[in-house]
Amino acid sequence: MNSETESLKEEVLRCTKCELAKTRNHVIFGEGNLNGGIFIIGEAPGRDEDLQGRPFVGLSGQLLDKILAACGFTRSEHVFISNIVKCRPPGNRVPTPHEAAVCMPWLLKQIELINPKILILLGATALKYMAGPEYRITRERGNWLNLNSRLAMPVYHPAALLRDPSLKRDTWEDFKKIVYKYRELVNPNHYSAHV
Ligand code: URA
Ligand code: SF4
Ligand code: URA
């Protein structure tokens, strides 16, 4: 990480701005390549993430990594992954609007420093807080959004795919659009065995 991101990380790891600080084991800053061109935004750390201090390491994370691999993307080279809130909500409940609002400045600062070409919004919560409360994942997924001049693709959350595997078909179409855009904006020679 560069020094600006390192100092932001140090600050976020000490954060106690909301009540989730009281029950967390780890603050999950996020991980991946700062220069990969893609920033993936999830909802909140779950149990596995809270124990390990890393984003998307449970079942949802394993599915996310499989989808990324099918696109030819890895955490180490192409994407940075973080969440709307950086601490686990007890029992994996959805973060409250207050928690999301208090935590959002950290995410916005990360996006500003990393300056990705493409945002991927994983699921209803990421879409709601990045685009607005009126946005619905079932309606918006697969359509590029323009968020402050940055392209954002809303897709179903991997947890939704685990609950309803029939959503995987649409999700693969959405990720193909992301690979095409990545070739257009970041690397025309990006290799993916499947796209
Ligand atoms: N679900 C999320 O939204 N984020 C994680 O980091 C893990 C599971
Ligand atoms: Fe701070 Fe965000 Fe954790 Fe709340 S969830 S304590 S705002 S880092
Ligand atoms: N419901 C959710 O909460 N997220 C999705 O991605 C799809 C349905």
Side-chain angles (χ1 to χ4, degrees):
M1 281 195 201
N2 59 38
S3 62
E4 272 186 306
T5 313
E6 272 303 342
S7 51
L8 177 66
K9 181 172 178 177
E10 282 171 26
E11 222 185 323
V12 175
L13 294 190
R14 286 194 308 265
C15 178
T16 55
K17 288 182 201 283
C18 84
E19 57 278 24
L20 297 181
K22 295 182 188 150
T23 48
R24 72 184 181 216
N25 288 297
H26 284 98
V27 179
I28 289 82
F29 179 74
E31 69 177 26
N33 194 314
L34 302 178
N35 302 306
I38 299 178
F39 195 126
I40 299 179
I41 304 171
E43 176 176 290
R47 181 172 172 276
D48 299 301
E49 291 76 21
D50 179 55
L51 291 173
Q52 294 185 41
R54 296 178 53 210
F56 282 98
V57 291
L59 288 177
S60 286
Q62 290 166 27
L63 178 54
L64 177 63
D65 282 340
K66 271 201 228 173
I67 297 169
L68 293 176
C71 296
F73 295 143
T74 62
R75 297 188 190 207
S76 58
E77 279 182 277
H78 307 90
V79 306
F80 188 85
I81 307 179
S82 192
N83 285 296
I84 294 289
V85 299
K86 311 297 191 218
C87 304
R88 181 197 185 203
N92 295 354
R93 63 167 171 74
V94 177
T96 65
H98 174 74
E99 290 156 358
V102 172
C103 205
M104 274 303 278
W106 294 136
L107 176 63
L108 297 177
K109 189 73 189 171
Q110 287 178 307
I111 295 171
E112 183 190 321
L113 289 178
I114 292 172
N115 195 21
K117 299 277 194 222
I118 296 169
L119 296 173
I120 302 177
L121 310 180
L122 287 182
T125 299
L127 176 62
K128 175 176 170 181
Y129 292 110
M130 289 300 294
E134 70 279 18
Y135 284 78
R136 293 285 171 270
I137 192 71
T138 46
R139 192 171 58 220
E140 299 296 340
R141 56 138 282 272
N143 298 316
W144 288 107
L145 302 176
N146 184 326
L147 303 181
N148 296 319
S149 307
R150 215 183 289 281
L151 282 175
M153 175 59 79
V155 299
Y156 289 125
H157 193 286
L161 306 182
L162 291 170
R163 286 193 301 268
D164 180 358
S166 74
L167 300 176
K168 287 183 180 178
R169 242 169 136 57
D170 281 343
T171 302
W172 181 235
E173 295 306 313
D174 302 345
F175 272 89
K176 283 200 263 185
K177 292 181 188 175
I178 294 168
V179 173
Y180 299 141
K181 190 61 76 180
Y182 189 84
R183 290 200 182 110
E184 199 181 308
L185 298 181
V186 182
N187 178 7
N189 300 316
H190 175 70
Y191 176 74
S192 149
H194 305 285
V195 191

